[in-house]
Amino acid sequence: MKSRIHCLLGLLPLLLSPARAENAVVNLSHYDEMRPDFARMSGEGILAVIHEATYPKFVRDARYAERQTAAARAGLLWGAYHFADATDPERQADYFISVVGGHWRQSAQRPPGVLMVLDFELNNHYPGGTMTPVQAAKFVERIRERTGRYPGVYASEYRIKAMLSGSSTTAAVQRTLSNCWLWIANYHHTPASTHPWQRWMLWQYTGDGICDLPRSKYPINIANIRKAERNLFSGSRSGLRSFWSANAWVPKS
């Protein structure tokens, strides 16, 4: 019996992996200082870009607007994320919405909608401290209240396990966050621990050139970006387009 259990535990990461995953999403921020070649990205199989829009304290990413236009011109889907801190989560959500909506309305060439994401990372380089699970739940509810869509939640697999699986996080907070889709980061192996989610939708497998996985299946560059942040989608290319359409926010003109 023990050997059978060990065998099943060894297979668990494979059982939790998607039957098919498309390496078709890149994320960017103002820290990526080059001029991304979005047309070339599209030619190399990328379908979507998720870009930082806002970060503490109430700062707009200076590259967001120009890159939204350039990506839309190349026919790429578009997403935006907010890097969170421990200040008022509803004010953060309102600011994020105002920036994303404002740039979308002002753009001469708009993407069809914007996939919204809460970046629920450990904050050790911006002011304001680190967002708690309770604050994260308030943030995502505010986004849903104002846009009609729950955002995604991004974090490393380790942080998800540490922050949401402990007794200090209530079942109500877990239920609220599980309404969001999960974007999980792990540069070492296929993510397996996704509680309270049943599965991840995006897996960031590399960033800053760090990746312990085989380069033949998990490249770290794309187009003119040598150390890209690349992501697998849990499904097919058509499934990615459908997922984006179902979850993206379309601001009112």
Side-chain angles (χ1 to χ4, degrees):
M1 175 64 73
K2 183 180 289 185
S3 63
R4 182 178 298 175
I5 291 173
H6 283 307
C7 181
L8 289 173
L9 289 174
L11 289 173
L12 187 59
L14 296 176
L15 294 173
L16 292 175
S17 300
R20 179 176 179 182
E22 287 292 335
N23 197 337
V25 181
V26 171
N27 58 288
L28 296 165
S29 76
H30 62 284
Y31 287 113
D32 300 293
E33 296 181 346
M34 77 295 294
R35 183 182 294 275
D37 188 338
F38 292 116
R40 185 175 163 190
M41 280 189 200
S42 178
E44 294 180 9
I46 297 301
L47 293 179
V49 174
I50 304 176
H51 202 288
E52 180 184 63
T54 51
Y55 58 92
K57 290 186 173 181
F58 302 104
V59 181
R60 303 180 184 215
D61 187 303
R63 302 297 181 99
Y64 178 85
E66 66 186 64
R67 289 175 176 172
Q68 176 188 261
T69 300
R73 189 176 295 120
L76 297 173
L77 300 170
W78 187 252
Y81 72 84
H82 169 70
F83 193 104
D85 68 11
T87 62
D88 185 333
E90 293 185 343
R91 280 193 66 203
Q92 291 182 65
D94 288 343
Y95 182 68
F96 181 41
I97 290 169
S98 70
V99 170
V100 171
H103 283 314
W104 188 89
R105 295 183 190 97
Q106 294 165 14
S107 178
Q109 187 155 3
R110 303 168 179 167
V114 184
L115 197 70
M116 307 279 275
V117 182
L118 167 62
D119 190 341
F120 184 53
E121 291 183 68
L122 176 67
N123 176 22
N124 56 14
H125 59 285
Y126 291 123
T130 297
M131 178 175 272
T132 67
V134 171
Q135 290 173 324
K138 291 180 178 179
F139 180 97
V140 303
E141 282 293 356
R142 184 66 164 183
I143 297 292
R144 181 204 59 79
E145 175 187 319
R146 293 200 51 200
T147 70
R149 300 283 189 273
Y150 276 105
V153 171
Y154 168 89
S156 71
E157 182 177 359
Y158 173 81
R159 179 162 167 76
I160 288 294
K161 185 183 297 184
M163 298 299 290
L164 301 186
S165 297
S167 59
S168 60
T169 302
T170 67
V173 166
Q174 290 184 353
R175 282 195 300 272
T176 296
L177 293 176
S178 68
N179 289 319
C180 305
W181 53 272
L182 178 63
W183 180 9
I184 197 164
N186 191 317
Y187 300 165
H188 312 292
H189 55 75
T190 303
S193 177
T194 58
H195 182 80
W197 292 270
Q198 293 185 349
R199 62 168 179 156
W200 50 266
M201 295 306 299
L202 287 178
W203 166 27
Q204 185 188 78
Y205 68 83
T206 184
D208 298 323
I210 304 170
C211 182
D212 292 336
L213 300 156
R215 293 289 191 274
S216 58
K217 292 185 178 180
Y218 302 94
I220 65 173
N221 63 304
I222 188 69
N224 62 325
I225 305 176
R226 303 309 303 169
K227 295 180 179 180
E229 294 187 323
R230 298 196 58 169
N231 307 269
L232 292 174
F233 171 72
S234 177
S236 65
R237 294 176 72 81
S238 62
L240 175 59
R241 292 187 183 278
S242 296
F243 166 77
W244 222 272
S245 177
N247 291 280
W249 173 46
V250 182
K252 294 181 180 178
S253 299

